[in-house]
Amino acid sequence: PTETIEDPPGLVGDEYEVDAFAVQEPGEELTVEVSVPDETAFEDTEVQIMNSDQGYEDAAIPNADGEATFSSDDMDLEPGTYSLLLAEEITKAIHPIVISGYEVEVTNPTSASEDEDITVEATVTQTESDEPPTVVNAVIWNDDGQERIEMSSNEDDDDTYTADISLDQFDPGEYEVYVTAHGDEEFRGEKEVLGLGEGSSLDIEEAEDDTDDSTDDT
């Protein structure tokens, strides 16, 4: 869901709206599409990459079509959570980007009643990270908010994590499910994301009313 970040450290600005994460494999070229109110002002705009310590990594200037491209050499970054900053004289927008250290595959039911429990399962495979994740979370969310549930590793398979989730804490409606795998370093006060996988949409249905309204006329 959309999140407002207020007074982020190292940036000049009061608040920024974030409504998505990007996921990128290390060493892959990245093209960022930029739009600004005055399309002739791209020469005054650049896209910066900042690490979780708010340290500068690289920058690219958008071309006339509003595309800023980082080469594969530019993107040869350690796995972790970074920020793409759209900057003129000050930062105008923030877009978090995860340089992935894990491949995350998610399995979950696509529909269930609000009075049921479901199981979310994830396979977290080390790709670029040397260590297993410190924590793996299942996240169920929609525009009204999110719930994060810490997942447990499977004793018989270290790459498999599960979470048994009671749906009575959610209102009926359509939700999205994803799983985040975290490392040791922090990004804005939380363990930084090193892997992110999307599950299937989850439709939480209203529980059936089992009340018997029939009357006995005998």
Side-chain angles (χ1 to χ4, degrees), residues 128-208:
E128 300 295 331
S129 293
D130 296 329
E131 300 291 335
T134 57
V135 64
V136 176
N137 288 327
V139 184
I140 298 179
W141 70 276
N142 63 12
D143 289 337
D144 295 326
Q146 63 176 317
E147 290 291 336
R148 289 188 291 179
I149 301 94
E150 184 171 342
M151 305 182 77
S152 301
S153 60
N154 189 317
E155 294 181 358
D156 298 324
D157 183 356
D158 292 340
D159 292 343
T160 302
Y161 296 78
T162 59
D164 296 321
I165 302 170
S166 176
L167 297 183
D168 58 7
Q169 60 188 306
F170 300 95
D171 292 329
E174 195 76 17
Y175 292 79
E176 301 296 326
V177 178
Y178 64 88
V179 169
T180 55
H182 302 256
D184 280 326
E185 301 296 324
E186 289 196 350
F187 179 77
R188 299 198 181 100
E190 298 185 359
K191 297 293 185 183
E192 68 174 338
V193 178
L194 298 182
L196 189 151
E198 290 185 89
S200 304
S201 296
L202 171 63
D203 182 19
I204 300 180
E205 303 167 349
E206 189 172 353
E208 293 185 6

Side-chain angles (χ1 to χ4, degrees), residues 28-103:
E28 286 190 355
E29 182 178 280
L30 173 67
T31 298
V32 182
E33 295 183 2
V34 177
S35 61
V36 295
D38 182 359
E39 300 297 340
T40 64
F42 282 130
E43 63 270 17
D44 300 323
T45 304
E46 69 175 8
V47 179
Q48 302 172 352
I49 299 179
M50 308 293 284
N51 59 36
S52 59
D53 295 324
Q54 300 302 320
Y56 173 87
E57 292 286 352
D58 217 316
I61 297 174
N63 60 23
D65 296 324
E67 293 184 345
T69 300
F70 295 88
S71 70
S72 57
D73 289 338
D74 297 332
M75 297 305 296
D76 190 20
L77 303 171
E78 292 293 323
T81 306
Y82 296 78
S83 293
L84 294 173
L85 307 181
L86 179 61
E88 290 177 347
E89 293 183 358
I90 64 172
T91 299
K92 296 292 188 178
I94 298 176
H95 197 301
I97 179 171
V98 175
I99 304 298
S100 181
Y102 306 106
E103 180 182 348

